[in-house]
Amino acid sequence: MQVAIIDLGTNTFNLLICNKVDGIFNTVFKTKIAVKLGEGGIDKSIIAKAPYQRGIEALKAHIKTIREYEVDNVRAFATSAIRSSKNGPDFVQEVYDKLALKIEIIDGDKEAELIYQGVKKAIDFSSDNKLIMDIGGGSTEFIIANSEGIKWKKSYKLGVSRLKEIFKPKDPITSEEIKAIESHLKVELLDLTENLKKHPCNTLVGSSGSFDTLVEMIRHHFDNLKENKQSPSSKISMDEYDWAQSYLIKSTLSERLNTKGIIKMRADMIVISAIFINYILREFEINKIIQSKYALKEGAMNVYF
């Protein structure tokens, strides 16, 4: 049976097609299309005209692919940008009317649950707590979990697209702007701080695009391109991470666009991601980083099929 998940994120619309045989999922095809739904409107709680149309066109492309692969069943999930926008329901209805695709708008709690379900397929959890961090365009999810399951989870309206629209940083970003973003994070993440006191973690598990970008940058810079790309997770040493974040924070957009490992659609927001990750590592004294290649779409595949 061929099944598909479409993850309608704020920055990208992701498609995963799998063949399910005897309860085992084998990836047949996966792709992502940049839509940047938050561009020009996320701080006003709307999807602006241009990104709205980009979203429609991206889904047309995904539906074409789904038909080519003769998929039997499709589930589509919308997250932060669509659920928090005044015209999000209009987008969902238009997609249904034009493409006959039913989109399910999920809340932040369900989003965090599905991310956890994806991550636990990529890494082994022990009795020690790990902090999962999924940086999106519209929201960022944090999940504290161990081998017993989820201890705590929450979705915050702290996606990089949202932060970029709020702070509109210079190029390159200034130290004053970094301090302003960190001060904002400190206020917004008070309950994360409280829960990490109850459930301390020394490992950060990063999923989705920002962490994927860090790993690709590091592979190119340290000439680790022969590393096994089939593995669903990668360890990031602190030395490697320190190089990447230092480079990003000092860089200009032009430099990032010409940096191996950074794809075009990530170049303008990856600096804010680095600031966010730096804050978490420093504030909570975390000294281990693991990248999970699996996130929401893999979790949804596991849960719904």
Side-chain angles (χ1 to χ4, degrees):
M1 181 174 70
Q2 301 267 76
V3 292
I5 295 290
I6 302 176
D7 167 16
L8 288 81
T10 300
N11 285 331
T12 59
F13 283 4
N14 307 283
L15 171 64
L16 174 65
I17 299 174
C18 289
N19 190 320
K20 186 178 181 182
V21 180
D22 298 327
I24 304 297
F25 293 103
N26 299 300
T27 299
V28 174
F29 180 83
K30 61 180 179 179
T31 190
K32 63 182 67 177
I33 299 175
V35 291
K36 293 191 174 180
L37 286 187
E39 193 172 71
I42 198 167
D43 56 333
K44 306 177 191 72
S45 298
I46 62 165
I47 304 171
K49 186 176 180 180
Y52 187 106
Q53 193 55 42
R54 286 199 296 266
I56 298 292
E57 294 304 315
L59 289 175
K60 285 181 182 177
H62 283 335
I63 291 296
K64 183 175 182 289
T65 302
I66 284 167
R67 287 172 180 159
E68 288 170 354
Y69 279 88
E70 300 181 348
V71 169
D72 301 294
N73 203 342
V74 182
R75 298 289 290 264
F77 301 94
T79 57
S80 183
I82 293 174
R83 71 171 171 251
S84 64
S85 298
K86 297 169 189 173
N87 57 343
D90 297 332
F91 181 88
V92 169
Q93 187 62 50
E94 184 171 340
V95 168
Y96 185 75
D97 292 342
K98 288 184 175 179
L99 303 174
L101 176 68
K102 183 181 179 182
I103 296 171
E104 302 169 54
I105 300 177
I106 58 173
D107 62 21
D109 196 57
K110 174 57 71 174
E111 185 174 0
E113 168 69 26
L114 292 177
I115 289 164
Y116 163 74
Q117 292 294 337
V119 169
K120 79 172 188 176
K121 299 286 286 184
I123 70 167
D124 293 323
F125 282 92
S126 62
S127 57
D128 295 332
N129 296 323
K130 291 181 173 62
L131 177 64
I132 300 168
M133 180 183 191
D134 188 291
I135 305 174
S139 65
T140 294
E141 284 66 47
F142 287 100
I143 305 106
I144 300 173
N146 61 21
S147 55
E148 296 176 352
I150 295 175
K151 298 299 180 183
W152 178 85
K153 63 183 185 298
K154 187 170 179 179
S155 176
Y156 294 87
K157 285 187 177 181
L158 292 172
V160 287
S161 181
R162 202 179 293 276
L163 291 169
K164 182 173 178 284
E165 290 293 324
I166 292 170
F167 290 96
K168 295 178 173 61
K170 295 182 177 65
D171 180 32
I173 196 166
T174 67
S175 58
E176 290 77 16
E177 288 167 336
I178 293 172
K179 289 175 184 175
I181 293 170
E182 289 180 339
S183 296
H184 181 69
L185 294 175
K186 192 173 187 70
V187 171
E188 294 295 317
L189 295 173
L190 288 175
D191 49 356
L192 173 63
T193 301
E194 289 304 309
N195 279 280
L196 280 169
K197 288 177 182 176
K198 297 175 189 174
H199 310 289
C201 301
N202 66 0
T203 300
L204 180 68
V205 180
S207 61
S208 294
S210 296
F211 287 93
D212 297 344
T213 299
L214 286 175
V215 166
E216 286 306 306
M217 284 178 63
I218 287 165
R219 279 184 173 149
H220 281 279
H221 182 75
F222 290 95
D223 196 23
N224 289 333
L225 296 173
K226 293 180 181 178
E227 185 180 327
N228 181 15
K229 288 194 173 187
Q230 300 306 313
S231 173
S233 65
S234 295
K235 290 182 180 179
I236 303 173
S237 76
M238 293 310 297
D239 285 344
E240 291 170 337
Y241 174 75
D242 286 344
W243 167 79
Q245 64 84 24
S246 177
Y247 173 82
L248 289 171
I249 286 171
K250 294 173 184 175
S251 68
T252 63
L253 177 59
S254 176
E255 288 169 337
R256 294 192 297 278
L257 285 168
N258 289 286
T259 299
K260 290 180 179 179
I262 301 179
I263 58 176
K264 184 178 179 180
M265 69 179 180
R266 301 279 177 206
D268 60 339
M269 288 181 275
I270 189 64
V271 173
I272 293 176
S273 295
I275 292 165
F276 203 162
I277 298 166
N278 286 349
Y279 175 83
I280 295 299
L281 294 173
R282 185 181 67 248
E283 189 74 6
F284 304 115
E285 298 179 352
I286 294 173
N287 55 24
K288 295 179 183 176
I289 309 173
I290 301 172
Q291 172 234 12
S292 167
K293 294 180 184 176
Y294 297 168
L296 187 148
K297 60 186 183 296
E298 289 82 8
M301 184 69 73
N302 194 51
V303 169
Y304 292 103
F305 294 120

